[in-house]
Amino acid sequence: AQTVTQSQPEMSVQEAETVTLSCTYDTSESDYYLFWYKQPPSRQMILVIRQEAYKQQNATENRFSVNFQKAAKSFSLKISDSQLGDAAMYFCAYYNFNKFYFGSGTKLNVKP
Amino acid sequence: GAGVSQSPSNKVTEKGKDVELRCDPISGHTALYWYRQSLGQGLEFLIYFQGNSAPDKSGLPSDRFSAERTGGSVSTLTIQRTQQEDSAVYLCASSSRQGPSSYEQYFGPGTRLTVT
């Protein structure tokens, strides 16, 4: 069965600094999708970034980028120039065969 | 509508009562998912719809849980004879199967269920 592991329950970063959130997953499949979602206190899940497993190039969305290591089954999220509005729970997710698997989340605190 | 909507936003019910949670997906999205999020936890998959059919019900925790989707749009998650362990936030998400945004899920705000 596919599992997604986020080993950092909570992290803190200074405003304007860079932080990296870790995610590993377990799968025997070669074609799948990976996502990072953000959940602020409002509870609304927001897509941050996605990565197709067949693409070698790491996805980037403005201040957010990923380091996708397929062989190592690792999918970390880097947030550059952290802002107060980045404070939230971040969930890593794996998708294949019509099903999503989510990690347990990392709470990110941003210090002014 | 512009996004996924869910109702009610909060529901408090007594143990043993039945509850219905509603999800309105984004218009045109054929796939719909229900998740449960317990306090401080990740998302637990419950059920997935493609159109009106549910090819994957493997996540439903017991036979007290059921869901349906009509007209390829609105979905209802029903919990019968609620128990205190059912207390959680229930999230709904929809996605399209076409175009560059395929497989991306768009989430509703969730329904917080409290069983007393």
Side-chain angles (χ1 to χ4, degrees), chain B residues 31-92:
Chain B
L32 187 147
Y33 302 79
W34 282 100
Y35 296 90
R36 179 169 69 177
Q37 185 177 27
S38 300
L39 184 63
Q41 301 296 312
L43 277 66
E44 175 190 3
F45 168 82
L46 296 179
I47 190 169
Y48 151 71
F49 286 93
Q50 179 58 38
N52 290 336
S53 64
D56 191 342
K57 303 179 182 179
S58 62
L60 294 177
S62 76
D63 59 8
R64 296 186 295 105
F65 287 72
S66 64
E68 65 175 12
R69 189 179 185 194
T70 56
S73 181
V74 172
S75 176
T76 302
L77 176 69
T78 301
I79 309 173
Q80 296 178 311
R81 305 181 302 282
T82 52
Q83 304 294 314
Q84 288 186 331
E85 60 263 29
D86 299 335
S87 296
V89 174
Y90 290 82
L91 291 167
C92 173

